[in-house]
Amino acid sequence: TVAMTYNQEIYAKYGEMIGNEAVLGGASGWYAPSMNIHRTPFTGRNGEYYSEDGFLSGVIGSLEVRGAASKGLYATIKHFALNDQENHRGDTEGQKSMATWANEQAIREIYLKPFEMCTKIDDVQMSYLQKDGDSYKTATREVPACTAVMSAFNRIGATWAGGSYDLITGIIRNEWGFDGWILTDNADTGVFMNGLQMIEAGADAKLTVSDPT
């Protein structure tokens, strides 16, 4: 519904509202927004993803991220990348995740575009309390709007997305210059998400409460 408005003010205000809710609830992070593509009408998370268009999804996602960041909330954009379906994606026992096949042009122009736009969104002015002698005063500083990414369950070709050096280091770190936090999706159900492979790919954390090996 938000996507259909093509109203950039609404996108930004939605992110600010999420940030306000986080302040009230005591949360510091948001596992969202989700910006994968409506490849078919039957994709499991079409209600969570915005559209079939990479640019539109990027406009919405980046403004929501920036709105949330203006309230001190870090948004973990997801699921990076090419998470096109929920069924058999690898979050059920015995599954080793599905393999997604695409050419480089389609990947860059459609599936990676929203993530790229988010990582390159303008910084935000953050207000905070700064100690001033025996009291405090309000101060501001610029901080990056986009600071976190969640990788996906699926494989791109035969390589798990969260353990892909080409995707994590080659594109998001080196090409886009992203210096934030990259973690996996739920690695308690995605048991194939190898921690060593993730670190070697250039990511930072494994989302799990179980053995991290």
Side-chain angles (χ1 to χ4, degrees):
T1 302
V2 171
M4 286 190 296
T5 68
Y6 203 78
N7 184 319
Q8 297 191 30
E9 183 179 359
I10 286 178
Y11 306 154
K13 291 294 185 183
Y14 182 88
E16 291 174 11
M17 179 273 291
I18 295 293
N20 287 334
E21 292 289 332
V23 171
L24 292 172
S28 57
W30 180 32
Y31 282 164
S34 305
M35 298 175 297
N36 295 100
I37 299 301
H38 291 193
R39 187 174 62 85
T40 78
F42 309 107
T43 301
R45 289 203 186 184
N46 277 358
E48 186 174 348
Y49 302 151
Y50 298 121
S51 76
E52 70 284 358
D53 182 83
F55 179 77
L56 174 59
S57 299
V59 169
I60 302 167
S62 58
L63 289 172
E64 288 188 1
V65 164
R66 197 169 190 278
S70 72
K71 303 296 183 176
L73 180 67
Y74 68 85
T76 309
I77 59 176
K78 62 179 187 177
H79 305 87
F80 191 69
L82 279 74
N83 186 72
D84 281 343
Q85 70 179 55
E86 293 299 291
N87 195 22
H88 300 294
R89 70 174 184 159
D91 55 356
T92 303
E93 186 175 354
Q95 295 180 2
K96 298 299 182 182
S97 83
M98 62 169 290
T100 306
W101 300 91
N103 61 46
E104 184 175 353
Q105 182 176 357
I107 291 172
R108 287 182 177 276
E109 292 182 357
I110 301 172
Y111 298 95
L112 296 187
K113 181 58 67 176
F115 296 96
E116 180 181 8
M117 292 172 69
C118 278
T119 61
K120 295 179 178 179
I121 193 70
D122 293 340
D123 293 345
V124 296
Q125 289 285 339
M126 181 66 60
S127 297
Y128 64 99
L129 291 177
Q130 185 180 67
K131 191 168 180 59
D132 183 22
D134 294 331
S135 62
Y136 290 86
K137 65 180 181 181
T138 301
T140 60
R141 63 172 178 170
E142 279 199 348
V143 297
C146 184
T147 56
V149 174
M150 179 184 287
S151 61
F153 273 94
N154 61 285
R155 299 173 185 271
I156 299 177
T159 305
W160 165 49
S164 170
Y165 183 89
D166 291 338
L167 188 66
I168 304 297
T169 293
I171 292 178
I172 195 168
R173 296 291 195 199
N174 292 346
E175 285 193 25
W176 299 349
F178 181 76
D179 192 30
W181 183 49
I182 302 177
L183 80 159
T184 71
D185 206 332
N186 184 1
D188 283 331
T189 55
V191 294
F192 56 87
M193 296 180 184
N194 182 273
L196 179 60
Q197 182 185 6
M198 174 205 72
I199 293 295
E200 289 181 335
D204 302 297
K206 187 175 178 181
L207 181 56
T208 180
V209 294
S210 61
D211 186 346
T213 57

